[in-house]
Amino acid sequence: MRASALRAELVKLHRAPIWAAFVLLPVVAAAIGTFNYMGNLAILQSGWFDLWTQHTLFSGMIFLHALIGASCSWLMGLEHRGTNWNQLMASPTGALRILASKLLVAWLMLGVGLAVTGVLFVGCGRFAGLPGLPGFGYVLWLVLAWVGGLASIACQLLVSLLIRNFAAPVGIAAIGGLVGFFAHAYDMGLAWPYALLVMALNSNGNGAVGAGQLMAFLASTVAFAGAFMMIATLVVAGTDVRTSS
Amino acid sequence: MDCCIQTRGLTKTYGKAAVVQSLDLAVPRGSVYGFLGPNGAGKTTTMKMLLGLVHPSAGTATVLGRQVTPRSHVQINARVGSLIESPSCYPHLTARENLEVVRSLRGLPASSIDEALAVVRLGHTGGKPVRAFSLGMRQRLGLAAALLGDPELLLLDEPTNGLDPAGIQEIRELIRSLPTERGCTVLVSSHLLSEVEQMSDYVGIINHGRMAWQGPLGELHARARRWLELRTTDNERAARLLGASCADGGWVRVRMRDDESVARMTMGLAREGIGIVRLEERHEDLEDIFIALTGTEASL
């Protein structure tokens, strides 16, 4: 039977308390967004799009990045606990495969967070009395946000590998998202890993990632994700295993 | 000698502190090798270097015929089970789920989990998360993870830590049986001399990062000095006649001799009118040898 680091990571998600954050944080972001939207109906006249910007403004800026930070902290924290790095690195699985599996699992978790965000968007829109259903474009933005989120995840895995603490990397992710929001606003989103998710969500209404920008967006995502994964692999493979026993 | 583990000049330094120094370790295939030393002697660091968890500062390690390098240790570790420092586990998962993680990482069949759980008698724990396990149960789980998939070589770092006396005996017997029943070579570290004596065929004594002695346990016993002690009706005169010393507790200590010499000695004392009340053969125990080799008292 073939060794599967990904399967091992998926087993670790059983009964994982971190899942609660993937429901709670999008609910908080949706509640704030819906409250803002309903309180400003006089100036917010664009229906579903205005609700979207209100929902994803805080999500893209802080909440989704905090969620990424929390999931990466949790995934790395599992190994920082006790002597778990011993078991992991004494297995016949290389550092790159271990980290790639964590990247995929964190990406899957972000997918769940974005799916919850989408469901809450539709639910809150219906609750707010918006007609019909939002267009397919919103699904595309969520999918692009999922893709762009890979860069933030790879960066956060590296941060959580180096900082053996749960809260500090979450704070770094939230600040990264905030900086990303402004980087996107000043048209420098492609140069900052945390800005790619913000760009994809189009939460400031400046315009979605169009066909002309798609290749640069994907190239930036792959470049950031690849670079951070490479650094993380070198750190894990090139340094002595440190346990906290 | 066919060795599963062979190191040459293996060294690990942290800054100026040498934790392991020029270590030449030879673990014969099919043996239980007791790696004995006081706490902080360098046992765990050595085992970590054998698994590729710690990079040596100098020297080489060959495990199962392959030199351990940053590239090769991944392939070598497919044939090695280990329990280093304390058991690794994910507390929110059950024992079975924890072993499922190890099984997935090692690419083993599903049946290996039931087998390992049965060996360490943890099959009854069901849906109980490991966070609710006692230290002894966690230690058993660590052993089960190490045994998963019948590895060719097992590295066990103080495996009886946290077990109750019955559990300690059970695990020692299990370790003793591994070479014959599973064809497995075992390197087991301990700071307990009595434990190593009970489990091992070969012994390596490490102190301050250096190998003080290694070889078959029988050879270590053979190093023990032997002597005779007598209690007589006149110890002082007996000691003078035999050119011996008076030991504490009213005994005369004489060098170990062959049977004929001993017979001559006793008849000689009798001719001098000195009655022999007691005549006993004494020898150093392993504790004395260990102290002589390391200058440190071993725990008992």
Side-chain angles (χ1 to χ4, degrees):
Chain A
M1 194 179 156
R2 203 175 135 70
S4 169
L6 180 61
R7 187 179 151 71
E9 289 301 323
L10 291 172
V11 173
K12 294 175 197 172
L13 292 181
H14 291 188
R15 288 184 296 280
I18 193 73
W19 283 120
F22 280 81
V23 178
L24 283 176
L25 280 181
V27 165
V28 171
I32 294 171
T34 308
F35 182 77
N36 273 353
Y37 174 73
M38 295 187 76
N40 295 286
L41 281 175
I43 49 169
L44 298 173
Q45 299 284 318
S46 304
W48 283 105
F49 182 70
D50 281 333
L51 180 66
W52 173 260
T53 58
Q54 296 307 305
H55 264 221
T56 57
L57 186 67
F58 290 108
S59 282
M61 204 191 291
I62 294 174
F63 288 123
L64 282 170
H65 284 103
L67 213 50
I68 288 172
S71 58
C72 292
S73 263
W74 189 79
L75 285 170
M76 282 298 179
L78 284 174
E79 316 309 341
H80 294 328
R81 187 193 298 264
T83 60
N84 288 357
W85 276 115
N86 282 349
Q87 180 172 277
L88 204 55
M89 296 307 291
S91 74
T93 310
L96 178 62
R97 280 179 62 194
I98 290 167
L99 290 166
S101 303
K102 289 196 179 288
L103 180 79
L104 283 175
V105 168
W107 197 42
L108 174 79
M109 293 168 96
L110 175 64
V112 171
L114 287 166
V116 172
T117 301
V119 168
L120 287 168
F121 169 59
V122 176
C124 290
R126 299 295 297 166
F127 171 76
L130 287 171
L133 288 170
F136 181 73
Y138 296 101
V139 176
L140 196 64
W141 292 350
L142 285 169
V143 170
L144 279 178
W146 191 41
V147 173
L150 257 182
S152 318
I153 292 168
C155 184
Q156 279 304 126
L157 282 175
L158 176 61
V159 169
S160 292
L161 174 68
L162 300 173
I163 303 173
R164 297 186 167 213
N165 166 297
F166 185 86
V170 177
I172 289 171
I175 292 167
L178 202 63
V179 173
F181 184 83
F182 289 106
H184 174 46
Y186 287 97
D187 213 16
M188 292 189 292
L190 291 174
W192 181 243
Y194 297 90
L196 297 166
L197 188 150
V198 181
M199 282 175 73
L201 282 176
N202 188 24
S203 52
N204 60 3
N206 281 359
V209 176
Q213 230 183 346
L214 189 62
M215 285 314 291
F217 174 84
L218 293 177
S220 179
T221 301
V222 170
F224 277 125
F228 290 126
M229 286 305 286
M230 198 175 72
I231 296 168
T233 304
L234 289 174
V235 170
V236 171
T239 56
D240 292 346
V241 168
R242 195 159 56 93
T243 57
S244 52
S245 68
Chain B
M1 185 164 58
D2 180 19
C3 286
C4 265
I5 300 172
Q6 185 101 49
T7 71
R8 291 265 181 264
L10 198 64
T11 301
K12 181 65 187 179
T13 54
Y14 293 101
K16 286 183 180 172
V19 179
V20 176
Q21 300 180 66
S22 304
L23 195 80
D24 293 338
L25 180 72
V27 178
R29 191 176 295 278
S31 67
V32 176
Y33 184 106
F35 199 26
L36 181 66
N39 290 328
K43 304 184 293 289
T44 302
T45 306
T46 302
M47 291 172 117
K48 283 183 158 185
M49 285 194 277
L50 297 174
L51 288 164
L53 303 177
V54 164
H55 305 287
S57 307
T60 59
T62 304
V63 174
L64 297 169
R66 291 190 66 183
Q67 189 171 327
V68 181
T69 65
R71 279 180 180 274
S72 71
H73 83 264
V74 172
Q75 286 95 47
I76 297 170
N77 287 348
R79 300 158 65 194
V80 181
S82 60
L83 167 56
I84 304 295
E85 292 176 298
S86 55
S88 305
C89 63
Y90 302 99
H92 66 289
L93 301 179
T94 64
R96 182 173 290 279
E97 286 167 340
N98 267 284
L99 293 184
E100 185 63 38
V101 169
V102 181
R103 182 183 83 81
S104 301
L105 286 168
R106 304 185 80 85
L108 300 169
S111 59
S112 59
I113 292 181
D114 289 315
E115 198 187 324
L117 283 172
V119 168
V120 300
R121 297 206 280 128
L122 277 182
H124 61 284
T125 53
K128 190 173 175 179
V130 169
R131 78 165 72 88
F133 279 21
S134 66
L135 187 59
M137 287 168 83
R138 286 182 189 217
Q139 196 71 16
R140 284 169 185 273
L141 179 61
L143 277 166
L147 289 167
L148 215 58
D150 280 334
E152 288 171 56
L153 172 66
L154 262 179
L155 304 188
L156 303 175
D157 188 14
E158 314 240 0
T160 55
N161 273 357
L163 295 173
D164 56 32
I168 289 173
Q169 200 50 40
E170 190 187 334
I171 295 304
R172 284 176 186 166
E173 280 167 19
L174 170 69
I175 290 170
R176 271 219 66 79
S177 72
L178 288 171
T180 46
E181 291 185 8
R182 295 172 183 239
C184 178
T185 304
V186 187
L187 171 63
V188 55
S189 79
S190 177
H191 62 279
L192 302 172
L193 181 58
S194 56
E195 181 165 87
V196 166
E197 204 176 355
Q198 283 178 48
M199 286 189 292
S200 316
D201 323 306
Y202 280 78
V203 183
I205 299 175
I206 184 174
N207 191 34
H208 297 304
R210 290 187 184 279
M211 187 67 87
W213 188 88
Q214 73 175 332
L217 186 65
E219 266 184 33
L220 193 61
H221 279 293
R223 283 174 64 101
R225 283 185 300 141
R226 290 161 195 279
W227 65 92
L228 290 172
E229 285 192 352
L230 302 93
R231 181 170 282 176
T232 68
T233 51
D234 187 345
N235 280 352
E236 278 187 25
R237 203 152 67 88
R240 220 169 30 246
L241 287 166
L242 297 171
S245 60
C246 269
D248 291 341
W251 292 87
V252 177
R253 178 180 288 187
V254 293
R255 222 162 22 89
M256 187 70 181
R257 301 163 184 212
D258 57 46
D259 290 354
E260 205 177 310
S261 310
V262 174
R264 273 202 306 273
M265 177 184 76
T266 53
M267 286 190 293
L269 288 174
R271 275 197 300 274
E272 293 293 329
I274 300 171
I276 297 173
V277 183
R278 297 274 189 282
L279 175 59
E280 294 181 7
E281 186 181 323
R282 300 275 170 86
H283 60 83
E284 282 182 315
D285 57 22
L286 281 187
E287 180 81 2
D288 299 318
I289 301 168
F290 182 88
I291 292 168
L293 286 168
T294 65
T296 316
E297 283 196 36
S299 307
L300 290 170

